[in-house]
């Protein structure tokens, strides 16, 4: 029995090592930072955020203050039993995570959904990906890539489902474990955040559910490495609103790099591929 246990532990350690190596090689963890830099240097991308700035800041402040006022003391009391003096740090991170989750549910469903889509599509246009964006959006003329964005044909961002909320609360007990538990909690949150950040990309590429699952599975480590710093940035009170937009920019930059690294003539978007094949048959 002990030998089997050792084998299982060794296997898990080896899988974790492989994932860590893949994550490091992907350099996906840099895209949240690249998103910040790109956002600051491309003023046209500020417009969607500026249009939603007052209501989102008000919502973010309100949610954060409410969560600390109502949930900090009871959760600190529980965590102090398990974490001792580290309970203060663990509780702050936990409440910030909870406030961030509540804010994301409300803001991304009712306030900034369209603004984030505009930010993602505008970033793709800034990276010369008009063919991709035009699959699911009307395009206008002009040199200003944000002004060229027309009507959206579909809204791709997945709303916060009951399943996601249940999963979040299942992860919460990890915070009872000093330091390590909080780290694991952030990692698990990041693992789910990564693919969600590319929801618009998957729609623009017209991927089926199966294609999307395969795409995510082949980049599992990369998506986790993107998600962890992105989650940490969005945990920052009030400023997390700003980082929601820069993370969107970072996700779009990553998508553009994936597209540009493909071999000439290659495409993984079924819609683009079918159009190319139809045009080829007409020429023949």
């Amino acid at each position: 029995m002990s030998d089997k246990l050792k084998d299982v532990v060794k296997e898990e350690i080896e899988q974790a090592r492989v994932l860590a190596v893949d994550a490091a090689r992907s350099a996906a963890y840099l895209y949240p930072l690249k998103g910040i830099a790109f956002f600051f240097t491309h003023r046209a991308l500020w417009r969607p955020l500026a249009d939603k700035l007052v209501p989102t800041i008000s919502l973010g402040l309100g949610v954060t203050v409410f969560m600390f006022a109502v949930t900090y003391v009871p959760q600190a009391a529980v965590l102090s039993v398990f974490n001792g003096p580290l309970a203060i740090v663990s509780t702050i991170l936990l409440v910030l995570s909870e406030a961030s989750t509540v804010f994301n549910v409300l803001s991304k469903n009712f306030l900034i959904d369209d603004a984030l889509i505009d930010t993602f599509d505008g970033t793709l246009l800034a990276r010369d990906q008009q063919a991709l964006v035009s699959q699911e959006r009307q395009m206008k003329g002009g040199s200003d890539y944000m002004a060229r964005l027309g009507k959206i044909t579909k809204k791709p961002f997945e709303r916060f489902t009951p399943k996601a909320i249940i999963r979040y609360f299942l992860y919460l007990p990890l915070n009872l474990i000093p330091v390590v538990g909080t780290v694991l909690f952030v990692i698990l949150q990041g693992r789910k955040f990564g693919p969600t950040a590319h929801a618009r990309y998957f729609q623009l590429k017209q991927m089926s559910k199966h294609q999307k699952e395969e795409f995510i599975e082949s980049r599992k480590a990369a998506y986790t490495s993107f998600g962890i710093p992105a989650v940490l940035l969005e945990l920052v009170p009030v400023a997390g609103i700003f980082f929601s937009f820069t993370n969107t920019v970072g996700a779009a930059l990553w998508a553009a790099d994936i597209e540009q690294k493909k071999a000439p003539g290659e495409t993984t978007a079924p819609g683009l591929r079918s159009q190319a094949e139809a045009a080829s048959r007409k020429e023949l």
Side-chain angles (χ1 to χ4, degrees):
M1 186 68 180
S2 60
D3 290 338
K4 289 183 178 180
L5 181 59
K6 289 180 180 178
D7 290 340
V8 171
V9 172
K10 286 181 180 179
E11 183 179 342
E12 290 297 321
I13 292 175
E14 178 60 21
Q15 288 180 357
R17 186 192 68 80
V18 172
L19 285 175
V21 171
D22 289 345
R25 287 176 177 172
S26 72
Y29 52 85
L30 295 175
Y31 282 102
L33 302 179
K34 290 180 179 180
I36 295 172
F38 196 88
F39 185 85
F40 269 118
T41 55
H42 292 73
R43 296 189 61 169
L45 293 174
W46 300 2
R47 293 176 204 159
L49 172 60
D51 292 340
K52 303 289 184 178
L53 195 58
V54 173
T56 49
I57 286 180
S58 300
L59 177 63
L61 282 172
V63 168
T64 302
V65 170
F66 175 82
M67 292 300 292
F68 270 96
V70 174
T71 69
Y72 179 81
V73 173
Q75 290 185 111
V78 173
L79 289 176
S80 64
V81 176
F82 298 91
N83 295 359
L86 294 174
I88 295 176
V89 176
S90 297
T91 307
I92 290 174
L93 289 175
L94 179 58
V95 175
L96 286 176
S97 177
E98 292 167 347
S100 174
T101 300
V102 173
F103 168 75
N104 283 330
V105 171
L106 296 176
S107 64
K108 290 184 179 180
N109 280 283
F110 304 108
L111 285 180
I112 61 174
D113 189 23
D114 290 343
L116 291 176
I117 295 172
D118 287 347
T119 301
F120 192 94
D121 291 356
T123 303
L124 287 177
L125 289 182
R127 290 290 303 273
D128 300 320
Q129 294 296 322
Q130 179 174 339
L132 187 62
V133 176
S134 62
Q135 289 300 298
E136 298 290 340
R137 185 163 201 157
Q138 296 176 4
M139 301 297 298
K140 302 176 182 178
S143 57
D144 185 328
Y145 44 86
M146 294 303 295
R148 292 170 61 194
L149 295 174
K151 184 179 178 181
I152 301 171
T153 58
K154 293 180 183 178
K155 291 188 177 182
F157 281 89
E158 300 173 354
R159 294 185 179 273
F160 223 73
T161 62
K163 183 179 178 181
I165 296 174
I166 291 171
R167 185 187 299 114
Y168 173 83
F169 283 104
L170 286 175
Y171 293 160
L172 279 180
L174 286 172
N175 290 278
L176 297 175
I177 306 172
V179 185
V180 175
T182 303
V183 172
L184 287 174
F185 179 80
V186 173
I187 291 174
L188 289 171
Q189 289 290 96
R191 187 179 66 179
K192 294 299 179 182
F193 185 97
T196 301
H198 264 173
R200 177 61 170 169
Y201 181 46
F202 299 146
Q203 186 186 38
L204 291 174
K205 293 176 74 65
Q206 300 177 352
M207 287 187 180
S208 66
K209 182 179 179 181
H210 177 69
Q211 289 172 325
K212 183 173 70 173
E213 289 173 349
E214 284 189 342
F215 190 89
I216 293 171
E217 181 63 26
S218 65
R219 295 164 176 80
K220 182 167 56 178
Y223 274 121
T224 301
S225 70
F226 174 90
I228 291 172
V231 165
L232 288 173
L233 287 171
E234 292 193 18
L235 285 178
V236 180
V238 184
I241 299 165
F242 164 75
F243 290 126
S244 294
F245 283 84
T246 60
N247 283 338
T248 298
V249 172
L253 292 175
W254 186 10
D257 285 344
I258 293 173
E259 292 297 298
Q260 291 175 352
K261 287 177 182 177
K262 292 183 307 187
E266 178 189 358
T267 178
T268 52
L272 292 175
R273 184 166 57 247
S274 62
Q275 288 181 14
E277 291 173 349
S280 178
R281 285 195 296 270
K282 286 182 180 179
E283 291 177 359
L284 292 174

